[in-house]
Amino acid sequence: MKISLRSENVRKSVLVLVLIAVQWLTAEGKLSFCSKSKEGNHTLYRKASGDDGVLICVRKSGQYVWNFLDGSSTIGENFNPAKDCSDIVDNFPEVKDGFYWIKDNKGKLSKAWCDTHTDGGGFLLMGMKESPVTWNVPSNESPVDPLGPPHWSSKFGDVNVQDFAIQISTTKNFEDTKAHWSYRLKANRALGNLFGVGSGGCTDFHSGIGNVSYIKDILTETVVTAKFNCSKFGSNTDPNLGWGRMNYCFRNKCPKGYAFFKGVPFRLDNHGSFSYSASSEFSGITHDATAFVGCVAGKCCACFGTKGGRGHYCSRKCKAVNGGTIITGKVYVWFWIRTRMPKRLWKRCMEFKMKTEAGKSETYYIDRMTGTAHKGTCSEQFQAFLNEGTLVVKNKESLNNIPSVPGLLSYREDNEKLYVKKGNKWDAIGSENETKNLVMTEVTHLEKNLADQKKIQGARTQNLESSINKRLTQLEQHLKARLKKIEGKVPYTGRWPSGSYCILANGKCPSGFSRSHGYMKAIKMYTTNSAYMKQVYFGDSKIMCHDSCRGWGDLVITACCK
């Protein structure tokens, strides 16, 4: 039996065969260390996503590491965890949403679902619920799955958060999202300190999410307000209750939800909401909102307006206003955190032209923070801007005004030269054409290395095919030999032999047999120790001690006879 790994279907079939027949699969957390002695070794591996892949031990940059045979990234696997979801986006541009392994700055390893594309990606799913109610959502250390079950993760309470986002959908499908917004915090803070009271914009009477820099409507990719102060969560109660308890549950297990305590048979809070306003400083509890989900005084709902709307659609006590939609039943809510913006989002200033009513063409630029258009050009507003990691400046004066950062690249538009910062001075690398030639040389070098790697991988793939074929052939031969041996020992006619005989009974007798039962009880014996009696069952028959086994025994025989 010969196979080729070049067929995708055959490749998957082989993986399944090997998994079943030779039990070669390496589960998460059980991967052996890649070392010099194991260079070139292959092993099957169950990825964080649940898919199977083939790993190969290779030497890379002087170190021995595991790489996937198909060239896919290992970032986010438990043997190569990412720092956060943004780290995955930075290192793997074509990455898909899914489960990945994250190792925070305290060394804690956790599995989490990462959204790698929304608003540039880098969002980690830390909570999910299937109703507007907040107080009964448990928290535990299990990874949060977008499809449920509902719970908060208690493993990321110490992670410093830059963005906290909320997504509301009428179905268990992101495509049906009705409201999706994020709070950009003024300063990163631990998720377990998300809610506060009496500072950062929230009042002494109500707790909530304060110290907000701006609110972004992710559905329209627009910053809707930079004047928002507080999303009110609930009343200011004892720090061990309400908002304080919610912070606690982001760090610890709360099996029944933040409003329930062990040994207390009733709920200790009837609030718990998340909201924002595009036109007011406050939202929730005693204020109207643009979007809202949660509970106020025991009344729970989700509320939203039309896409892109900036008015108030959600009034107090779950009342819709201005055409808003209220849902009190089934609704799906996801809670996301982002520690930092992925590096791939550093973009140059964008400008465009529009014609006035008089037919005159005017130039506008996009404000990179708010996403709004302003009259003018990028060059008028920004003396320098970052373009995919290279600082672009107009002239020598602008170049000299850049802070001293060793290794920083800068491109001067006036002389079309690229510079690198060395100490306190800028060294010209070359003109645009020289730079292109340098880049092309590097590309040629990389292409050659890639071709060499393909040859190496091709040889390794052939070795793997040969190894699998050899093992499957051995297995096939072994199974055939075993089957032949068994067939030779056990003749099977499909019916009982003719003649008169008895067989020991074990339950109901076969057709054509009658049941016979006999016994001898209280048989006097020399002794009943193990040298003279061994108690045993033969189906419905048995040899046993009689009573307390003091020199007496029982023999019971039940047979099927014909």
Side-chain angles (χ1 to χ4, degrees), residues 88-328:
I88 294 171
V89 175
D90 291 339
N91 286 279
F92 193 13
E94 302 302 321
V95 70
K96 297 179 181 179
D97 297 350
F99 282 111
Y100 297 92
W101 285 95
I102 305 295
K103 192 173 187 179
D104 62 25
N105 54 7
K106 292 188 177 181
K108 185 190 294 184
L109 187 66
S110 306
K111 193 176 183 181
W113 180 278
C114 292
D115 181 336
T116 60
H117 67 280
T118 301
D119 193 34
F123 280 101
L124 182 152
L125 183 61
M126 57 75 54
M128 183 267 180
K129 60 180 185 174
E130 296 180 346
S131 81
V133 181
T134 304
W135 57 61
N136 63 356
V137 180
S139 66
N140 54 57
E141 294 186 349
S142 300
V144 180
D145 190 309
L147 300 179
H151 73 283
W152 310 100
S153 172
S154 60
K155 298 197 73 174
F156 301 101
D158 293 324
V159 172
N160 286 326
V161 176
Q162 182 183 63
D163 293 314
F164 183 78
I166 297 165
Q167 185 174 1
I168 303 173
S169 176
T170 51
T171 69
K172 211 180 252 190
N173 188 333
F174 293 150
E175 299 299 324
D176 295 323
T177 295
K178 303 301 180 183
H180 194 178
W181 72 93
S182 66
Y183 308 91
R184 169 59 61 87
L185 306 179
K186 289 183 178 179
N188 285 25
R189 63 177 179 264
L191 178 62
N193 296 328
L194 180 66
F195 300 99
V197 65
S199 63
C202 295
T203 66
D204 292 332
F205 301 102
H206 294 101
S207 62
I209 302 174
N211 276 318
V212 176
S213 179
Y214 60 81
I215 301 292
K216 186 169 186 178
D217 181 348
I218 296 179
L219 285 181
T220 60
E221 299 183 348
T222 305
V223 173
V224 294
T225 179
K227 298 180 180 180
F228 185 75
N229 283 336
C230 181
S231 168
K232 294 188 175 183
F233 179 80
S235 300
N236 181 13
T237 57
D238 185 284
N240 295 316
L241 303 173
W243 63 275
R245 177 71 173 177
M246 189 75 252
N247 282 342
Y248 171 87
C249 292
F250 285 162
R251 284 192 171 101
N252 303 275
K253 297 178 182 179
C254 296
K256 294 184 178 180
Y258 86 91
F260 295 89
F261 284 73
K262 185 177 181 180
V264 179
F266 51 84
R267 189 176 74 237
L268 294 175
D269 196 4
N270 60 356
H271 291 291
S273 65
F274 303 84
S275 60
Y276 82 92
S277 169
S279 57
S280 175
E281 296 179 0
F282 301 95
S283 66
I285 307 298
T286 56
H287 297 270
D288 292 350
T290 302
F292 173 97
V293 63
C295 306
V296 178
K299 196 168 184 64
C300 306
C301 67
C303 175
F304 45 84
T306 56
K307 182 179 179 180
R310 299 193 182 187
H312 283 161
Y313 306 101
C314 317
S315 190
R316 286 165 283 182
K317 296 184 179 180
C318 288
K319 291 182 179 179
V321 294
N322 302 320
T325 299
I326 293 287
I327 299 177
T328 57

Side-chain angles (χ1 to χ4, degrees), residues 300-354:
C300 306
C301 67
C303 175
F304 45 84
T306 56
K307 182 179 179 180
R310 299 193 182 187
H312 283 161
Y313 306 101
C314 317
S315 190
R316 286 165 283 182
K317 296 184 179 180
C318 288
K319 291 182 179 179
V321 294
N322 302 320
T325 299
I326 293 287
I327 299 177
T328 57
K330 202 76 168 178
V331 67
Y332 300 89
V333 189
W334 298 275
F335 298 85
W336 307 88
I337 58 174
R338 181 163 60 185
T339 58
R340 61 180 178 84
M341 295 291 287
K343 294 177 182 177
R344 74 177 183 186
L345 297 183
W346 294 352
K347 300 292 183 183
R348 69 160 64 216
C349 171
M350 181 184 293
E351 62 181 45
F352 60 95
K353 291 185 178 182
M354 291 181 63

Side-chain angles (χ1 to χ4, degrees), residues 348-354 361-368 373-385 394 413:
R348 69 160 64 216
C349 171
M350 181 184 293
E351 62 181 45
F352 60 95
K353 291 185 178 182
M354 291 181 63
S361 180
E362 292 184 338
T363 302
Y364 291 80
Y365 72 93
I366 302 295
D367 187 312
R368 289 171 291 176
H374 299 275
K375 191 174 180 179
T377 65
C378 289
S379 59
E380 291 173 353
Q381 301 301 321
F382 307 105
Q383 288 297 310
F385 55 89
K394 293 175 62 177
E413 292 180 327

Side-chain angles (χ1 to χ4, degrees), residues 366-406:
I366 302 295
D367 187 312
R368 289 171 291 176
M369 190 197 85
T370 64
T372 56
H374 299 275
K375 191 174 180 179
T377 65
C378 289
S379 59
E380 291 173 353
Q381 301 301 321
F382 307 105
Q383 288 297 310
F385 55 89
L386 202 60
N387 179 19
E388 303 294 349
T390 301
L391 206 60
V392 180
V393 296
K394 293 175 62 177
N395 48 40
K396 183 178 180 180
E397 182 181 359
S398 299
L399 183 68
N400 291 331
N401 288 332
I402 297 172
S404 179
V405 180

